[in-house]
């Protein structure tokens, strides 16, 4: 909710969550065109001219590698950084805990090539990614961090960490890797069963 409340079209926030297109009323777009700048370009107008579709030229892919990580423990500070148009999530990942190994300095300005990570499977309960990390890196996916997901790198379980407040990521050492994210609803099923069992027990006690 913090992310939604602070959402800024002129920052990297739309890029992080894969907002590729915006639908604007033509009159509103005419008023706000200067504020939107060159980041959003019209690609379609309705036949009656009343609506305009804008394309975000800096939207990020579903997965990308980042060479640097900055630990930020304050939510409001993280949101403030994300709102800043100068923040580039390709260069620095905002994390809540220390990286497990040395990363590039946040001010290094390094950026990995766009083809360093590629999504090979994208399903409701499984996402697979291949990555080529030239150095220690963090793989970030444009997917909401959620505890029901588990990850593995080259077949070995790894921890999923929150990145940029709402996204999920995993750390990678140098080399070629295959990463899988799988949704495991078992803990939620167990919780549901326990809740139902408790409800049934209370109901039978009343009877």
């Amino acid at each position: 909710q913090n992310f939604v409340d602070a959402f800024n079209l002129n920052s990297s926030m739309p890029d992080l969550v894969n907002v590729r297109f915006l639908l604007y009323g033509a009159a509103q777009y005419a008023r706000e065109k200067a504020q939107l700048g060159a980041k959003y370009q019209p690609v379609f107008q309705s036949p009656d001219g009343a609506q305009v579709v804008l394309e975000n030229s800096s939207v990020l892919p579903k997965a990308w590698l980042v060479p640097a990580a900055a630990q930020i423990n304050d939510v409001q500070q993280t949101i403030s950084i994300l709102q800043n148009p100068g923040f580039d999530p390709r260069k620095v990942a905002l994390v809540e805990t220390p990286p497990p190994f040395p990363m590039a300095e946040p001010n290094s300005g390094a950026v990995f090539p766009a083809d360093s990570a590629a999504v090979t499977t994208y399903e409701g309960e499984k996402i697979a990614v291949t990555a080529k990390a030239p150095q220690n890196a963090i793989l970030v996916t444009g997917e909401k961090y959620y505890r029901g997901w588990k990850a593995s790198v080259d077949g070995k379980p790894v921890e999923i960490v929150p990145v940029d407040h709402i996204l999920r990521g995993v750390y990678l050492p140098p080399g070629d890797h295959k990463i899988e994210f799988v949704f495991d609803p078992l803990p939620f099923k167990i919780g549901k069963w326990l809740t139902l069992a408790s409800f049934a027990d209370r109901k039978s006690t009343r009877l």
Side-chain angles (χ1 to χ4, degrees):
Q1 188 60 49
N2 291 329
F3 188 90
V4 173
D5 291 341
F7 200 74
N8 180 2
L9 287 175
N10 290 316
S11 70
S12 62
M13 299 175 87
D15 313 335
L16 288 169
V17 292
N18 309 123
V19 176
R20 188 177 186 85
F21 297 101
L22 301 177
L23 179 63
Y24 258 70
Q28 181 185 6
Y29 176 58
R31 292 193 304 269
E32 301 180 10
K33 182 177 180 180
Q35 300 175 24
L36 293 172
K39 179 174 180 174
Y40 300 98
Q41 294 296 319
V43 292
F44 177 79
Q45 188 166 23
S46 61
D48 60 2
Q51 294 179 319
V52 180
V53 175
L54 307 178
E55 184 174 10
N56 178 4
S57 61
S58 58
V59 65
L60 289 163
K62 280 291 185 182
W64 66 95
L65 288 183
V66 185
Q71 183 181 354
I72 308 292
N73 298 114
D74 182 76
V75 172
Q76 292 306 317
Q77 184 180 359
T78 299
I79 293 297
S80 179
I81 294 172
L82 293 174
Q83 285 181 309
N84 188 333
F87 173 70
D88 190 340
R90 300 172 304 160
K91 297 178 180 179
V92 182
L94 305 181
V95 297
E96 300 174 5
T97 53
F101 41 56
M103 304 278 289
E105 292 296 325
N107 60 358
S108 68
V111 177
F112 291 134
D115 61 357
S116 296
V119 175
T120 57
T121 302
Y122 188 80
E123 300 172 352
E125 296 186 353
K126 180 179 179 181
I127 299 173
V129 182
T130 57
K132 298 180 179 180
Q135 62 193 58
N136 289 339
I138 183 168
L139 173 74
V140 183
T141 67
E143 298 289 328
K144 188 177 183 297
Y145 177 80
Y146 196 66
R147 294 185 181 275
W149 286 84
K150 295 183 178 180
S152 63
V153 174
D154 303 324
K156 298 179 180 179
V158 296
E159 180 185 7
I160 300 176
V161 298
V163 179
D164 298 333
H165 187 55
I166 62 168
L167 303 182
R168 68 180 80 134
V170 296
Y171 288 100
L172 300 175
D176 294 353
H177 302 287
K178 293 182 179 179
I179 305 94
E180 286 192 351
F181 297 88
V182 178
F183 182 66
D184 179 14
L186 181 59
F188 302 96
K189 289 181 179 178
I190 292 175
K192 182 179 178 181
W193 293 334
L194 291 175
T195 301
L196 290 174
S198 176
F199 176 77
D201 182 62
R202 290 199 302 269
K203 187 175 180 181
S204 62
T205 300
R206 290 176 184 175
L207 295 175

